[in-house]
Amino acid sequence: MAVKIRLQRHGKKNFAFFHIVVADSHSPRDGRYIEQIGSYNPNTNPATIVLNFDRALAWVKIGAEPSMVCRRILSYEGVLLRNHLDGGVAKGALTQEAADKKWNDWKAQRDAKIDAKVNGLKNDAIAKAKAAKAEETKVNEARAEAIAKKAAELAAAKAAEEAAQNAEQAEEAPATEEAPAAEAPEQA
């Protein structure tokens, strides 16, 4: 029986996540499997990979053939490197301590790279938020200036209108004051 390590699709349309399974190569993609050894969620940034490292390594050692995507995931998680180093130890090409040292160095480098990416994404999000806030502040200031300018224009127009009304009242007031004064002596 040919055994494959492959992905089994789950989730909904346009939002899939995958189980990493060991299955017979003749079984359907989402069908029967021998063992589930992990999950892969490409919807997050960086992608979330949960893998039972020991079981994956055991299956690779007994000859389970990973699919192309699973090969990439196993390589990313270091399963293939560990298998390679263990093969070198078995052949006597290097000692177990040297293999462990290479493994630990690679693991530290990989973890640092992942942390750098996560921190870079956080810093980018913070920078975008600051830029959006600055842009919003600039737009709000422009709106406030436009409102203040419009209010000043309205106040000037209102003042001019009041001045015009006062001028009209001033012109009408002397005419009305003189008329009653002139009428008053006639009545007496």
Side-chain angles (χ1 to χ4, degrees):
M1 167 168 75
V3 178
K4 289 251 183 208
I5 300 175
R6 62 185 182 196
L7 298 178
Q8 191 176 56
R9 189 180 195 281
H10 291 277
K12 59 185 180 179
K13 187 177 184 182
N14 295 327
F15 201 78
F17 65 92
F18 302 91
H19 290 174
I20 302 170
V21 297
V22 178
D24 180 18
S25 62
H26 299 292
S27 64
R29 178 193 72 182
D30 296 337
R32 189 171 169 165
Y33 59 87
I34 299 168
E35 181 181 2
Q36 179 181 341
I37 57 173
S39 64
Y40 169 61
N41 186 359
N43 301 314
T44 61
N45 191 7
T48 305
I49 300 171
V50 177
L51 185 68
N52 185 340
F53 186 86
D54 297 330
R55 292 304 303 153
L57 183 61
W59 278 106
V60 168
K61 282 186 178 184
I62 62 173
E65 191 66 34
S67 67
M68 294 298 286
V69 176
C70 282
R71 178 177 296 279
R72 181 75 178 109
I73 290 171
L74 295 177
S75 176
Y76 179 78
E77 289 294 314
V79 172
L80 299 180
L81 176 65
R82 190 68 204 188
N83 184 43
H84 176 73
L85 292 173
D86 288 349
V89 170
K91 290 179 182 176
L94 60 137
T95 64
Q96 185 65 40
E97 293 81 24
D100 289 341
K101 183 182 181 317
K102 284 185 178 184
W103 166 254
N104 291 333
D105 291 343
W106 177 86
K107 185 79 167 163
Q109 184 181 16
R110 179 185 149 259
D111 291 343
K113 193 183 294 186
I114 291 171
D115 290 341
K117 181 173 183 178
V118 169
N119 290 336
L121 290 171
K122 285 181 183 177
N123 292 341
D124 288 346
I126 291 169
K128 285 180 182 178
K130 284 183 180 179
K133 180 108 172 138
E135 187 67 29
E136 183 179 351
T137 303
K138 188 186 295 184
V139 168
N140 287 342
E141 288 174 356
R143 285 181 184 166
E145 287 177 12
I147 290 171
K149 186 176 180 182
K150 193 170 189 178
E153 289 174 1
L154 288 175
K158 190 173 184 180
E161 184 179 315
E162 288 178 4
Q165 286 178 356
N166 289 341
E168 288 176 12
Q169 289 177 359
E171 289 176 5
E172 292 175 7
T176 55
E177 289 177 8
E178 292 175 10
E183 292 175 12
E186 290 175 9
Q187 293 175 2

